Amino acid sequence: MTSLVWAGGFPCSKHKRCNGTERDARVMVWDQLPLPSRIRSALQRTHLKSVREVLSLPAVDVQRLTGLAQPEVHQLLTVAAAVCRRHAPLTVLQLQRGECRRCESGLRLSVSCPVLDGLLRGGLPVGGITELSGPSGAGKTQLALQISLSVQYPVEHGGLGAGALYICTEDSFPIRRLQQMISEQAILRSEVPPSVISGLHFSDHVYIEHAADLDSLQVCLSRRAPVLLAAGLVRLIVVDSVAALFRSEFQTEDWLERNKQLLTFSTMLHQLSQEFTTPVLCINQVMDVLKDDDSLGPLSSSVTPALGLAWANQVMMRLMMLRHQTTVSRGDQSSTLRRLEVVFAPHLARSKRDVGVWREGVRGVPVLE
Amino acid sequence: SAIISLHRNKLGERGLHLLQRQRGEAVTALELLQREKECGSITTFSSQLDRALKGGLPVGKVTEICGAPGVGKTQLCLQLSVDVQVPLSFGGLEGQVIFMDTEGSFVLQRVGDVAAAVVRHFSLVAEDGEQKDAMQTFDMESILSNIFLVRCHDYVELLAELHLLPDFLRDQPRVRLLVIDSVAFPFRQQLDDLSLRTRLLQGLAQQLVSIATRHNIAVVITNQMTTRLQDSQSHLVPALGEIWGHASTTRILLQWEGSRQVAAIVKSPCCMDTAVQYHITSEGFRDVNQPENSDQPEIPLTERRSL
């Protein structure tokens, strides 16, 4: 397989879902722009190579570099902006009617449980980072494995018709548990026709990567992930867990450096998520909450997600899974009760559901009226 | 001033303002005051916050909303995007909105919730014929058709959209609100050169003020919080630095106090530093003492506009 290296940007025009008129605004020869020759020759005398470079400078810098008058700079910036723009503003009504295939369409990735899908109003959003935090043993990896299978179902059964990229940063991948869940999919997803389930070769479509340090994580996200996503093989990225890498590699004094690395990492995830309309699920550890620290909201427990405000600012949907003392039984199985809570999300209320972890997977306990 | 009254008759009050502004003519302080009153404001649907802001978010000015993740910044922006469309007969601005989303937090489902609740509320309080007529056209479809959504994936796209905004606004004169949610997110990614960032933000701030005044639009921007170490204690402060603090006329800080959510007005030329409690319901941004059942709706106080 050819290894393609993207340097900070992803060629979107190769993507299947683009509409045909998308232009690659990253490199543009000045002659192709509808500008008077005076402006074009002024641009050619500078070191600027693309419309993006022109737009990423303050207008006064552009004026100084080109020696053009202010109205000409304004004209240049307007033309450059029109090239850079992907499409004109749409109304929300047009979006709702599906008139823009690349934009927010309300598509959700089901988590293979109707109770939990109800909590999430459909499932994971396909854009942005979803974080799942909780103490060890709460069942976060269980749910992540389940979602890695759920994504493979066709869209009409709540999936996205593609596989998952599962990046492990701490323990080795729980392959036996995955195999067990695969064998019980017919029980978990009893509403799906058995022919559909047997037609899906689940284990073939979970791509497992190990990233023991930040450098290998960077390589994975900048090389491997775009290839899998662009080929349509994968439409879910799981990072299990983010905390492991960022907590161990930095001493407490280095928190500025750590935040910088966190930002680089989350920027890469965001770019991948947006470019390929792919949900990203990051598993996080928790730490004890400091006594008077209510900056991130009221907590129903004594723990808070790790990595602080810098990471929290990058997360669109924050979920937390907590373990409880009681047990719940179903048939011949019993499970320690868990609770999955929505801490924040732009479209969800702060609510929770009781959850059990069974042989066939993670299932919410139906809410009794 | 005979000429002024001639213009006033022909162009109307607003036209006169634009003409004078373009010509750079001097105006008296009294005229400025009158204009400000006429510019109007957008209700937040929290009567306490509206009262603290002397009516609501001011049109023609830049307002910044800061807060930690999950506290309700996007929720307030979504609420404002619906509230700006309230018909004139109810004291609203009947305007359109451009929503620039840089984080991907604009979710259709949620806009639908907020819009439906606002329509329900005004259907219940509609009194006279004029208001009932207005409700014929103030429904979910029309609300969604008056929100223009722009998704910006990085700061270059955001800057590009702002360059193209004046032309768009000339074609769409009914826009009364511009939301950028958030400015912080794209400017804190990929921009390691802090001095470049500061200069870009300064240019951005000037552009926003110019758009607000020239096109008579309320500009609302959201900002993240960051930790700053001071005297070996960490404080939560708005992101993007000290200089960015001068960009907005009014700054509203949304924060948690224990289990309560509080909106604090920390910078404003007209209002004292006040703090009001709010919460986010399934219907949107609301006061806390609002009765839950919609049989007795708490009406945000807005005066009927004399047409």
Side-chain angles (χ1 to χ4, degrees):
Chain A
M1 183 182 260
T2 48
S3 88
L4 301 155
V5 180
W6 329 102
F10 308 106
C12 60
S13 25
K14 313 294 183 292
H15 191 254
K16 282 189 248 183
R17 271 167 282 267
C18 287
N19 68 43
T21 56
E22 208 117 64
R23 281 164 282 186
D24 187 344
R26 283 172 188 84
V27 176
M28 175 74 67
V29 178
W30 304 121
D31 288 339
Q32 291 181 20
L33 291 180
L35 287 169
S37 52
R38 182 176 142 69
I39 299 184
R40 273 189 263 141
S41 40
L43 277 171
Q44 264 148 6
R45 285 194 294 269
T46 67
H47 62 83
L48 300 166
K49 287 191 288 298
S50 66
V51 284
R52 280 184 65 90
E53 277 192 49
V54 170
L55 289 167
S56 55
L57 291 172
V60 288
D61 285 19
V62 176
Q63 193 170 356
R64 188 174 35 88
L65 283 172
T66 55
L68 293 166
Q70 218 219 4
E72 290 174 315
V73 169
H74 175 79
Q75 185 183 4
L76 165 61
L77 289 173
T78 313
V79 168
V83 168
C84 193
R85 162 191 267 189
R86 293 174 189 226
H87 53 76
L90 286 173
T91 68
V92 173
L93 188 65
Q94 287 172 304
L95 270 182
Q96 197 189 47
R97 292 179 176 160
E99 288 182 29
C100 171
R101 303 194 58 215
R102 289 206 58 160
C103 306
E104 144 83 17
S105 55
L107 189 59
R108 299 276 183 269
L109 168 56
S110 159
V111 302
S112 285
C113 166
V115 172
L116 298 181
D117 282 344
L119 172 71
L120 302 176
R121 284 179 89 177
L124 297 192
V126 297
I129 296 179
T130 298
E131 178 202 68
L132 175 61
S133 67
S136 72
K140 311 184 290 291
T141 299
Q142 304 289 313
L143 187 55
L145 290 175
Q146 181 159 312
I147 301 176
S148 306
L149 300 178
S150 174
V151 66
Q152 301 185 37
Y153 286 84
V155 174
E156 59 265 24
H157 292 294
L160 296 174
L165 172 61
Y166 200 107
I167 305 174
C168 290
T169 64
E170 9 181 345
D171 312 317
S172 55
F173 184 80
I175 183 72
R176 287 227 296 249
R177 178 54 174 149
L178 182 69
Q179 300 289 21
Q180 183 184 47
M181 286 174 101
I182 289 174
S183 62
E184 307 253 341
Q185 279 292 295
I187 299 174
L188 182 71
R189 302 296 302 263
S190 48
E191 81 283 2
V192 179
S195 54
V196 174
I197 297 185
S198 53
L200 294 167
H201 303 288
F202 291 106
S203 43
D204 287 347
H205 296 108
V206 180
Y207 297 82
I208 303 163
E209 293 273 328
H210 286 274
D213 53 47
L214 282 178
D215 285 334
S216 42
L217 179 64
Q218 161 119 359
V219 167
C220 176
L221 288 177
S222 57
R223 295 183 197 221
R224 189 115 170 83
V227 172
L228 290 170
L229 287 161
L233 293 171
V234 149
R235 266 193 86 186
L236 168 69
I237 300 175
V238 180
V239 183
D240 185 2
S241 66
V242 293
L245 289 180
F246 292 96
R247 282 174 119 177
S248 60
E249 292 210 15
F250 297 95
Q251 310 294 343
T252 31
E253 302 89 58
D254 287 341
W255 66 281
L256 271 175
E257 177 62 23
R258 183 195 80 169
N259 284 355
K260 225 178 94 176
Q261 294 284 1
L262 257 178
L263 203 51
T264 311
F265 161 68
S266 62
T267 303
M268 264 194 282
L269 286 177
H270 279 291
Q271 284 177 336
L272 288 169
S273 175
Q274 283 163 358
E275 202 61 50
F276 299 103
T277 350
T278 292
V280 175
L281 178 66
C282 288
I283 294 183
N284 195 7
Q285 295 166 0
V286 291
M287 58 189 201
D288 294 316
V289 70
L290 298 169
K291 204 143 200 284
D292 295 322
D293 182 14
D294 55 9
S295 53
L296 291 181
L299 296 151
S300 46
S301 77
S302 57
V303 291
T304 187
L307 304 178
L309 185 59
W311 168 247
N313 274 326
Q314 307 304 315
V315 168
M316 189 173 91
M317 179 155 97
R318 173 165 268 186
L319 306 172
M320 194 182 284
M321 193 115 126
L322 297 166
R323 239 177 116 103
H324 282 264
Q325 314 291 11
T326 48
T327 49
V328 60
S329 315
R330 254 184 59 243
D332 63 332
Q333 303 187 58
S334 80
S335 153
T336 312
L337 193 66
R338 274 91 161 166
R339 194 161 283 164
L340 181 65
E341 179 179 336
V342 174
V343 178
F344 64 73
H347 59 305
L348 302 175
R350 296 175 67 94
S351 49
K352 38 189 123 155
R353 294 285 186 275
D354 287 341
V355 161
V357 178
W358 313 98
R359 223 171 24 234
E360 69 270 21
V362 178
R363 276 196 167 165
V365 174
V367 177
L368 298 164
E369 287 306 303
Chain B
S1 75
I3 299 176
I4 290 179
S5 43
L6 180 71
H7 282 307
R8 186 179 278 122
N9 289 337
K10 271 199 182 161
L11 303 169
E13 224 30 74
R14 204 147 284 160
L16 178 62
H17 303 164
L18 288 173
L19 191 61
Q20 281 178 325
R21 212 172 281 140
Q22 279 165 12
R23 287 194 187 155
E25 281 179 13
V27 293
T28 65
L30 182 62
E31 279 175 345
L32 271 178
L33 185 64
Q34 279 169 335
R35 278 184 206 175
E36 267 201 22
K37 279 206 189 129
E38 280 172 18
C39 273
S41 46
I42 308 174
T43 171
T44 60
F45 244 80
S46 150
S47 51
Q48 288 194 19
L49 185 55
D50 282 349
R51 205 171 303 133
L53 290 169
K54 307 276 193 303
L57 257 90
V59 170
K61 304 265 169 45
V62 179
T63 306
E64 183 180 10
I65 303 173
C66 317
V71 76
K73 307 183 291 294
T74 303
Q75 302 302 311
L76 180 51
C77 291
L78 292 175
Q79 188 70 58
L80 292 166
S81 303
V82 176
D83 296 348
V84 71
Q85 304 185 39
V86 171
L88 291 166
S89 51
F90 290 100
L93 295 177
E94 216 166 283
Q96 294 178 316
V97 50
I98 301 176
F99 197 110
M100 292 193 179
D101 177 20
T102 65
E103 303 188 0
S105 49
F106 186 95
V107 180
L108 252 80
Q109 277 175 321
R110 189 55 182 156
V111 180
D113 293 346
V114 175
V118 170
V119 169
R120 255 193 320 269
H121 170 99
F122 284 105
S123 308
L124 287 171
V125 307
E127 294 174 335
D128 54 36
E130 199 186 344
Q131 292 183 340
K132 294 214 164 94
D133 282 340
M135 290 312 296
Q136 299 292 328
T137 46
F138 187 60
D139 58 12
M140 274 285 270
E141 247 192 44
S142 87
I143 292 180
L144 298 185
S145 70
N146 287 320
I147 305 177
F148 294 98
L149 180 66
V150 177
R151 276 284 283 128
C152 300
H153 299 87
D154 55 38
Y155 75 93
V156 175
E157 281 187 33
L158 177 58
L159 293 173
E161 288 296 337
L162 286 165
H163 284 305
L164 296 168
L165 200 52
D167 286 337
F168 184 82
L169 292 172
R170 227 163 283 138
D171 295 335
Q172 306 280 352
R174 284 182 52 209
V175 173
R176 289 274 83 76
L177 172 64
L178 165 67
V179 176
I180 306 182
D181 181 24
S182 63
V183 173
F185 188 78
F187 274 95
R188 297 176 87 197
Q189 292 180 328
Q190 300 170 315
L191 255 185
D192 289 329
D193 182 350
L194 283 182
S195 81
L196 172 63
R197 189 182 87 172
T198 308
R199 285 185 299 127
L200 284 172
L201 286 172
Q202 277 176 317
L204 178 66
Q206 285 171 337
Q207 266 180 308
L208 293 177
V209 171
S210 149
I211 286 171
T213 43
R214 215 166 273 161
H215 300 269
N216 199 34
I217 281 176
V219 175
V220 173
I221 49 186
T222 67
N223 193 4
Q224 294 170 342
M225 302 296 276
T226 187
T227 5
R228 192 203 288 162
L229 285 174
Q230 220 174 10
D231 315 321
S232 73
Q233 265 198 323
S234 70
H235 300 270
L236 270 190
V237 296
L240 299 178
E242 283 284 336
I243 297 185
W244 176 251
H246 301 296
S248 55
T249 323
T250 307
R251 196 175 236 182
I252 302 174
L253 195 58
L254 301 182
Q255 53 201 7
W256 292 97
E257 279 177 14
S259 60
R260 310 186 315 154
Q261 284 167 290
V262 170
I265 303 172
V266 297
K267 174 190 172 189
S268 165
C270 65
C271 327
M272 293 192 312
D273 281 5
T274 30
V276 302
Q277 203 182 338
Y278 69 93
H279 69 319
I280 312 289
T281 68
S282 58
E283 309 199 313
F285 191 91
R286 295 288 186 274
D287 278 331
V288 165
N289 1 342
Q290 186 138 354
E292 284 307 299
N293 60 351
S294 44
D295 287 334
Q296 294 134 37
E298 174 115 327
I299 306 166
L301 296 168
T302 45
E303 278 166 357
R304 284 229 15 211
R305 198 165 283 275
S306 51
L307 295 165

